[in-house]
Amino acid sequence: MKTPQLPRPVPDAAVLDGRFCALEKIVTRHANELWDAIGSQDDLWTGIPSGPFADKAAFRDWLKDRASRDGQVLYAVCDKKSGKALGLYFLLRIDPQAAACEIGLVYGKALQRTPAGTEAFYLLANYALRTLGYRRLEWRCGPENDASNRAALRYGFTREGMLRQTSWTKGQNWDTVYYSILDREWPAVAARLEAWLSPRNFDADGRQVKALSDFG
């Protein structure tokens, strides 16, 4: 086994650019669009420790606070067609010494089940695992969050197991399911995502030719 070169760099890219979307490091101007896309949609925060938010001011304060914390970086998912921020990505618990971090997200309804949504994950995961050379990318969610558990498997994560009563959140016990992608696994996972995202896999109307599940 090759000895890793540690520590790895702290994530600091201002923009991660793709064909369907761009990930832009959070700045003040994103707040209004993200309020419309996700902050004002209470149902999107059911399985997330944060939210829902009383009003736009509360959401803006939360976003500003989260974007300023150490050990994490936030990106707005900006759709290339509309030019609007439609979702939010996090890199959390960033540990350059161990070259490990966690990925989290909140997608607005206009971003769900779209090529831009899948590409956004690919851009950030590729940045962490390939560009920066991180060894481990984690995904955590509750066992009852069916959409998040399905997304983790769809994107190529491996389920590692569940820890019970990891927190008391929103008035109840929360269990946590852990998933991961390791650096040695990323080339195969990335190739599958790249094949699905290829222009050859979309017709003239932008519809997929083959589903992601058909690629390996």
Side-chain angles (χ1 to χ4, degrees):
M1 180 179 295
K2 184 178 179 180
T3 301
Q5 295 183 346
L6 300 173
R8 301 308 304 160
V10 176
D12 65 353
V15 179
L16 300 172
D17 197 34
R19 187 162 67 95
F20 300 103
C21 71
L23 298 185
E24 299 179 1
K25 197 172 181 180
I26 289 293
V27 295
T28 303
R29 69 176 180 83
H30 293 122
N32 288 336
E33 291 180 359
L34 287 174
W35 165 253
D36 292 337
I38 62 173
S40 61
Q41 309 300 312
D42 289 359
D43 59 311
L44 297 180
W45 302 88
T46 302
I48 299 174
S50 303
F53 305 94
D55 51 33
K56 184 187 291 189
F59 175 75
R60 289 172 65 94
D61 289 345
W62 171 82
L63 189 66
K64 182 178 179 180
D65 172 67
R66 289 303 299 260
S68 66
R69 293 184 187 180
D70 293 333
Q72 59 186 259
V73 60
L74 276 63
Y75 288 95
V77 183
C78 298
D79 179 64
K80 287 290 184 74
K81 286 184 178 180
S82 67
K84 293 183 178 181
L86 301 178
L88 181 65
Y89 256 108
F90 306 77
L91 284 181
L92 305 158
R93 302 196 299 159
I94 298 169
D95 185 350
Q97 297 295 329
C101 60
E102 176 189 343
I103 196 169
L105 69 154
V106 187
Y107 276 1
K109 292 179 173 60
L111 193 60
Q112 296 172 9
R113 300 180 180 275
T114 66
T118 299
E119 184 182 56
F121 167 75
Y122 167 80
L123 290 172
L124 193 53
N126 193 60
Y127 174 59
L129 292 167
R130 180 176 288 162
T131 304
L132 298 182
Y134 273 58
R135 301 169 51 251
R136 173 180 172 86
L137 183 66
E138 293 183 354
W139 177 295
R140 298 189 300 159
C141 61
E144 72 290 336
N145 191 336
D146 292 336
S148 188
N149 281 278
R150 288 195 304 269
L153 295 173
R154 178 176 181 270
Y155 288 150
F157 283 85
T158 296
R159 190 182 192 275
E160 296 181 329
M162 185 179 74
L163 299 183
R164 300 179 297 166
Q165 293 190 188
T166 51
S167 69
W168 177 264
T169 303
K170 296 184 176 180
Q172 59 184 334
N173 282 310
W174 278 39
D175 302 331
T176 303
V177 181
Y178 279 76
Y179 295 87
S180 70
I181 298 175
L182 304 183
D183 51 355
R184 64 176 180 269
E185 298 166 343
W186 180 244
V189 174
R192 174 173 167 265
L193 291 166
E194 290 163 358
W196 185 81
L197 289 165
S198 169
R200 295 188 299 273
N201 192 46
F202 293 87
D203 64 21
D205 296 318
R207 294 187 294 262
Q208 68 176 3
V209 177
K210 295 172 62 177
L212 183 57
S213 58
D214 293 331
F215 291 91

